[in-house]
């Protein structure tokens, strides 16, 4: 059993929650940021916050159990455990669908640019977010209730790579378009930067998807192994690093605002205003 | 959670003194897992998984960088040339296409103001159509600075320009339909004011 020190756990969780809270505050306070693009980034921030919150609450729960304030096999604790499990799955599903929404929004911005403001109105963006979150809430409750059946584990683990693949396709298509236009710019006299910006685009894309994959895939594999081969010693060894997987998920909550929200200069200037004044 | 209960069950059989994460809500019991007689290393799944993940990410990165160097030939024919400046700024920063559009629009708006005066009737007509969505009109030039309205101004600019057949801009309209794949926004100024536009787009990139 690999143990992560408590201080590290709490620090990482608190940092994740704070950062995402700041992003939400900034978007709420600045009227210029009331755009569909920033609403999707907010949705990602909320799901990250839920993930970190879950881990913090679980830790507090364990400490309370150790100190003896809560009984260990009571009904109330089981229900609370179920509720917290569903919150965690809600966070994972919310993250996936928020990333999908952000990718789709950028895709529409590029390929349907003239009609973007007709296609992606504020009301439609909010409606899409409401639908996404209701679906995530419903399926998270269902998965938490029936977590011991194969029928829920398999769709859950298939959804994850499927979504990743779809998001990858969207971004690769956008990337190909950017590259082909950079090549066209090469004919103009003063354009020597396109090679560098294409490399930068490749790095950005790899970071987006690589971070999400590295942070969530260990946990998904853990669920698969716990369902299908719990007695196998190899699987058991993998499952012993469960807390490292949990810490990775909270690191994802810290990294996501950096690669999505803080890329926007408007949001950065809102932050500076919030802290300096 | 079932996974947590499994972990706790094994943990409770070991020393509990330094284990902070014992979770003892057990939905079902597992027997102890013995580590005797293993052919491969104990942590083989862990190592294999992480190595596989790293290989996949690096492979993805190399595929993307290869795409930057070589080309998919069918892509070059299909795309109109009008999107280039917009795409450059997008490549530099995936996160802010709308802001680059705003900087771009400010410049073009200043240059095409004289033409825009001809189009005021069109603007007012489109105004009424847009008011249902936005709740505010595009009465004056000062609104050019705002992001949500800038591309609407462009649409109206472009409509006006195609209607009036301004000789300076006719040459640039290779794909003159306002189809969904055409970013004619950047078409007109490219030939005439290409230098200033390139400088602005480079400013966005840096």
């Amino acid at each position: 059993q690999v143990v992560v020190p408590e201080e590290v756990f709490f620090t990482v969780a608190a940092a994740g929650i704070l950062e995402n809270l700041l992003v939400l505050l900034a978007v709420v306070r600045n009227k210029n940021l009331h755009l569909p693009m920033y609403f999707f980034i907010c949705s990602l921030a909320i799901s990250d916050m839920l993930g970190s919150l879950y881990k913090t609450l679980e830790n507090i729960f364990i400490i309370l159990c150790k100190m003896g304030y809560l009984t260990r096999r009571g009904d109330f604790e089981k229900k609370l455990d179920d509720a917290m499990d569903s919150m965690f799955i809600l966070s994972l599903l919310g993250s996936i669908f928020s990333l999908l929404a952000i990718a789709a929004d950028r895709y529409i911005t590029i390929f349907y640019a003239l009609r973007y403001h007709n296609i992606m109105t504020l009301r439609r963006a909010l409606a899409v977010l409401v639908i996404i979150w209701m679906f995530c809430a419903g399926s998270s409750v269902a998965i938490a209730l029936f977590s011991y059946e194969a029928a829920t584990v398999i769709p859950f683990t298939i959804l994850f790579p499927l979504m990743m693949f779809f998001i990858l396709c969207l971004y690769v298509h956008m990337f190909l378009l950017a590259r082909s236009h950079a090549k066209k710019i090469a004919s103009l006299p003063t354009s020597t930067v396109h090679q560098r910006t294409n490399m930068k685009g490749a790095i950005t894309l790899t970071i987006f998807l690589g971070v999400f994959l590295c942070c969530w895939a260990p946990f998904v594999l853990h669920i698969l192994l716990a369902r299908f081969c719990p007695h196998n010693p190899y699987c058991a060894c993998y499952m012993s690093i469960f807390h490292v997987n949990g810490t990775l998920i909270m690191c994802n909550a810290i990294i996501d605002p950096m690669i999505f929200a803080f890329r926007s200069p408007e949001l950065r200037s809102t932050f500076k205003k919030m802290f300096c004044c | 959670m079932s996974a947590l209960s499994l972990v706790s069950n094994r943990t409770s059989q070991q020393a509990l003194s330094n284990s902070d994460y014992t979770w003892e809500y057990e939905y079902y019991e597992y027997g102890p897992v013995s580590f005797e007689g293993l052919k491969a290393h104990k942590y083989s799944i862990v190592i294999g998984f992480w190595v596989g993940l790293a290989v996949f990410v690096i492979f993805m990165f190399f595929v993307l960088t290869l795409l930057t160097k070589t080309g998919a030939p069918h892509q070059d024919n299909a795309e109109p040339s009008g999107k280039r400046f917009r795409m450059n700024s997008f490549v530099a920063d995936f996160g802010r296409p709308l802001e680059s559009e705003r900087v771009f629009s400010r410049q073009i708006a200043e240059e095409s103001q004289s033409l825009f005066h001809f189009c005021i009737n069109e603007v007012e007509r489109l105004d009424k159509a847009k008011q249902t969505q936005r709740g505010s009109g595009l009465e004056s030039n000062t609104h050019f600075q705002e992001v949500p309205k800038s591309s609407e101004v462009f649409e109206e600019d472009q409509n006006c320009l195609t209607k009036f057949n301004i000789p300076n801009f006719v040459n640039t309209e290779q794909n003159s339909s306002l189809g969904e794949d055409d970013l004619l926004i950047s078409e007109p100024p490219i030939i005439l004011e290409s230098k200033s536009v390139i400088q602005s787009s480079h400013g966005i990139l840096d």
Side-chain angles (χ1 to χ4, degrees):
Chain A
Q1 175 78 343
V2 174
V3 171
V4 177
E6 236 177 32
E7 298 80 22
V8 170
F9 224 69
F10 273 122
T11 319
V12 172
I17 294 178
L18 270 177
E19 209 175 346
N20 289 294
L21 209 56
L22 282 176
V23 169
L24 285 175
L25 265 177
V27 171
V28 162
R29 284 176 64 160
N30 188 351
K31 288 274 185 292
N32 282 348
L33 297 176
H34 289 186
L35 294 174
M37 180 170 92
Y38 292 105
F39 284 169
F40 294 135
I41 290 179
C42 274
S43 156
L44 186 65
I46 289 176
S47 46
D48 285 337
M49 230 171 32
L50 279 178
S52 298
L53 210 61
Y54 161 77
K55 281 288 169 187
T56 317
L57 284 179
E58 187 190 47
N59 252 21
I60 292 177
F61 216 40
I62 289 174
I63 291 174
L64 285 178
C65 277
K66 265 176 26 174
M67 298 213 271
Y69 289 122
L70 293 171
T71 61
R72 289 195 174 157
R73 284 167 208 266
D75 238 0
F76 169 70
E77 281 77 16
K78 278 219 170 89
K79 291 215 179 81
L80 211 55
D81 186 40
D82 274 339
M84 296 206 315
D85 287 344
S86 67
M87 178 160 76
F88 184 63
I89 297 178
L90 178 69
S91 153
L92 172 57
L93 287 175
S95 283
I96 294 178
F97 280 107
S98 299
L99 283 177
L100 186 65
I102 290 175
D105 176 65
R106 287 174 181 176
Y107 191 83
I108 296 178
T109 308
I110 299 304
F111 287 101
Y112 298 91
L114 282 182
R115 302 191 304 168
Y116 173 76
H117 290 296
N118 292 341
I119 297 177
M120 187 71 74
T121 58
L122 263 183
R123 241 188 309 167
R124 258 187 222 165
L126 286 174
V128 162
L129 279 178
V130 163
I131 292 175
I132 284 178
W133 279 98
M134 279 179 33
F135 174 73
C136 291
S139 37
S140 77
V141 166
I143 290 177
L145 285 178
F146 303 110
S147 62
Y148 46 85
E149 292 188 25
T152 53
V153 169
I154 291 181
F156 181 69
T157 46
I158 288 180
L159 178 80
F160 182 77
L162 212 65
M163 286 288 167
M164 287 293 305
F165 183 67
F166 187 54
I167 292 175
L168 186 68
C169 286
L170 283 180
Y171 275 121
V172 165
H173 194 197
M174 290 191 264
F175 181 77
L176 284 177
L177 177 65
R179 188 200 38 77
S180 75
H181 286 276
K183 284 167 84 111
K184 283 186 181 127
I185 279 192
S187 57
L188 291 175
T190 58
S191 59
T192 50
V193 291
H194 60 278
Q195 193 66 19
R196 186 176 64 91
T197 59
N198 271 336
M199 182 64 85
K200 222 172 137 192
I203 293 176
T204 310
L205 198 51
T206 314
I207 289 178
F208 277 171
L209 297 170
V211 161
F212 187 76
L213 211 59
C214 287
C215 292
W216 285 100
F219 175 74
V220 174
L221 185 62
H222 180 108
I223 290 185
L224 262 181
L225 293 181
R227 179 63 193 85
F228 289 116
C229 63
H231 300 289
N232 190 332
Y234 298 115
C235 302
C237 261
Y238 180 80
M239 292 193 281
S240 69
I241 62 168
F242 180 70
H243 300 298
V244 177
N245 298 343
T247 316
L248 274 176
I249 291 176
M250 290 197 297
C251 288
N252 181 55
I254 295 181
I255 296 176
D256 267 347
M258 287 187 212
I259 61 181
F260 283 100
F262 292 167
R263 283 281 185 123
S264 142
E266 182 77 36
L267 211 124
R268 283 202 295 257
S269 67
T270 314
F271 270 123
K272 284 190 197 129
K273 267 188 243 163
M274 267 171 36
F275 282 122
C276 298
C277 307
Chain B
M1 202 164 199
S2 59
L4 290 170
S5 69
L6 163 66
V7 164
S8 77
N9 199 14
R10 287 186 298 109
T11 313
S12 57
Q13 293 157 12
Q14 303 160 11
L16 286 177
S17 55
N18 59 348
S19 158
D20 291 325
Y21 303 105
T22 320
W23 187 251
E24 294 188 334
Y25 302 151
E26 289 156 2
Y27 298 120
Y28 41 94
E29 299 276 330
Y30 285 129
V33 180
S34 75
F35 289 112
E36 307 296 321
L38 290 183
K39 293 198 194 102
H41 188 257
K42 254 192 338 181
Y43 285 101
S44 54
I45 291 190
V46 178
I47 297 170
F49 171 72
W50 281 106
V51 167
L53 201 59
V55 163
F56 175 72
V57 170
I58 292 174
F59 168 74
M60 199 167 63
F61 178 68
F62 275 126
V63 163
L64 288 174
T65 45
L66 271 178
L67 283 177
T68 69
K69 296 198 170 30
T70 63
H74 61 278
Q75 277 287 341
D76 292 338
N77 299 332
E79 309 299 345
S81 59
K83 299 188 201 173
R84 42 184 111 145
F85 294 111
R86 200 137 183 255
M87 295 324 305
N88 239 1
S89 56
F90 174 73
V91 164
D93 185 350
F94 274 77
R96 41 173 189 165
L98 286 178
E99 261 135 326
S100 67
E101 183 186 291
R102 176 179 51 183
V103 172
F104 204 51
S105 71
R106 218 178 288 148
Q107 195 162 21
I108 295 175
E110 283 148 11
E111 287 151 4
S112 62
Q113 260 185 29
S114 55
L115 290 162
F116 186 68
H117 288 305
F118 289 114
C119 310
I120 287 192
N121 290 335
E122 313 293 327
V123 169
E124 280 168 8
R125 192 169 48 79
L126 288 162
D127 246 357
K128 296 189 181 82
K130 293 277 190 286
Q131 260 175 7
T132 56
Q133 294 174 19
R134 292 270 161 208
S136 58
L138 302 161
E139 305 89 85
S140 70
N141 299 338
T142 56
H143 285 282
F144 290 175
Q145 306 299 322
E146 292 183 9
V147 172
K149 304 190 173 69
S150 59
S151 65
E152 285 160 336
V153 171
F154 277 125
E155 288 174 354
E156 286 123 37
D157 268 356
Q158 197 54 47
N159 290 335
C160 299
L161 292 173
T162 52
K163 273 200 173 141
F164 288 109
N165 270 338
I166 310 292
N168 292 334
F169 297 102
V170 160
N171 299 335
T172 69
E173 286 173 25
Q174 307 148 12
N175 311 307
S176 55
S177 65
L178 286 177
E180 39 191 58
D181 284 336
D182 288 348
L183 266 186
L184 292 175
I185 290 169
S186 45
E187 275 292 301
I190 285 179
I191 309 294
L192 293 186
E193 280 97 9
S194 54
K195 281 225 167 75
S196 54
V197 166
I198 291 171
Q199 276 157 15
S200 77
S201 73
H202 281 200
I204 294 164
L205 293 177
D206 300 330

